[in-house]
Amino acid sequence: MGAGHAHRLYRHGHSAVHALPPHCKLAAVLCFVVVVVSTPREAMWAFGLYAVLLASVAAAAHLPPLFVLRRMLIEVPFVAFAVLMPFVAQGERVDVLGLSLSANGLWGAWNVLAKGTLGVAASVILASTTELRELLLGLQRLKLPPLLVQIASFMIRYGDVIADEMRRMKIARESRGFQAKGVRHWGVLGKTAGALFIRSYERGERVHLAMISRGYAGSMPVIDEVTASRKQWSYALTLPLTALMICLLGWTV
């Protein structure tokens, strides 16, 4: 199974984190996120310790802080949503810097920001230390339904192809003097989207027929069988197990 070239989030390295089998890293990140989400929002100190744990993993993987922070900008829409919560939520009001804010909204905003940021950071570290092809092999190793793995594989493989098709169509429009400047041009853009869909559908049909002619029977062949030793599992699960102890302490304090 392959997924083409390395993705933009991946940062080549030879650290112990890079060397871990992909299914170990996927399981570790999933368990870590579950623990973070299960932590009571009042245990603010626990989220600080989670951040220290992730920073330690990033340091072990030799990921520069700015590299990780730039790729965490994807959560900006969630930050905007969290900022609005204290203003629109109902319940008891409190005064903060002269503003009347909802106490429940403040707790909700903190909950979204803390847990969302930690989840995004963990995902960025995973993507930065694991190639797409390895991620797909890891998902397959974890017994994810084969159909979902294949859909993800084709989506990754042909995403750049579709994007390049869109770019060529855009150049073709502009070479003929078209500039989308208002609502009156939405019809042209709608026709472009329709043409792109038809081209993508026809390409999918051709690819499917080509695969069948080469022996495809509903599952992709696995060239590299990924295995993990007990030592590698222990190393990978250090993060979620440490987080679990912090979470349990947060519920008891």
Side-chain angles (χ1 to χ4, degrees):
M1 177 185 299
H5 56 272
H7 58 92
R8 296 177 182 177
L9 286 178
Y10 179 71
R11 183 181 177 88
H12 182 73
H14 301 283
S15 68
V17 180
H18 284 80
L20 282 175
H23 53 289
C24 293
K25 289 186 277 189
L26 283 166
V29 170
L30 176 61
C31 293
F32 174 78
V33 171
V34 170
V35 170
V36 170
V37 172
S38 303
T39 304
R41 62 187 185 183
E42 293 80 8
M44 295 184 178
W45 57 270
F47 297 104
L49 293 179
Y50 294 152
V52 172
L53 286 177
L54 288 180
S56 301
V57 175
H62 307 302
L63 298 178
L66 289 179
F67 177 88
V68 177
L69 291 175
R70 282 198 301 266
R71 281 147 182 80
M72 288 179 60
L73 292 177
I74 192 174
E75 72 162 338
V76 169
F78 299 97
V79 173
F81 171 75
V83 170
L84 292 176
M85 290 182 67
F87 297 93
V88 300
Q90 303 297 321
E92 179 184 355
R93 313 297 292 187
V94 295
D95 291 331
V96 178
L97 300 177
L99 299 174
S100 179
L101 305 177
S102 168
N104 291 332
L106 287 172
W107 278 116
W110 159 251
N111 199 42
V112 171
L113 284 175
K115 297 180 179 180
T117 300
L118 290 170
V120 170
S123 301
V124 168
I125 293 173
L126 172 65
S128 300
T129 57
T130 315
E131 294 188 34
L132 280 176
R133 176 177 173 277
E134 293 180 349
L135 284 174
L136 294 173
L137 290 173
L139 292 174
Q140 193 172 45
R141 184 69 179 176
L142 293 175
K143 305 302 182 183
L144 198 73
L147 181 60
L148 294 181
V149 177
Q150 291 180 49
I151 291 174
S153 176
F154 287 120
M155 180 184 69
I156 293 168
R157 181 184 295 274
Y158 289 99
D160 290 340
V161 176
I162 302 303
D164 191 56
E165 189 77 20
M166 290 177 59
R167 183 184 62 81
R168 289 197 298 269
M169 295 173 71
K170 180 176 182 292
I171 293 175
R173 291 197 309 269
E174 293 178 349
S175 66
R176 291 164 174 79
F178 175 82
Q179 293 289 338
K181 297 181 179 179
V183 178
R184 67 181 184 276
H185 294 131
W186 285 7
V188 176
L189 297 178
K191 292 177 182 178
T192 301
L196 179 63
F197 173 79
I198 293 174
R199 292 185 185 184
S200 302
Y201 185 84
E202 291 177 345
R203 185 190 298 272
E205 289 289 330
R206 293 195 301 270
V207 170
H208 182 248
L209 292 175
M211 291 172 61
I212 292 177
S213 68
R214 289 163 174 78
Y216 176 74
S219 61
M220 299 292 288
V222 178
I223 300 175
D224 299 325
E225 185 67 24
V226 182
T227 59
S229 64
R230 182 176 300 179
K231 181 179 180 180
Q232 289 173 320
W233 272 112
S234 301
Y235 185 71
L237 293 179
T238 300
L239 173 66
L241 290 177
T242 305
L244 179 61
M245 291 188 291
I246 296 173
C247 177
L248 294 176
L249 185 60
W251 279 105
T252 57
V253 173

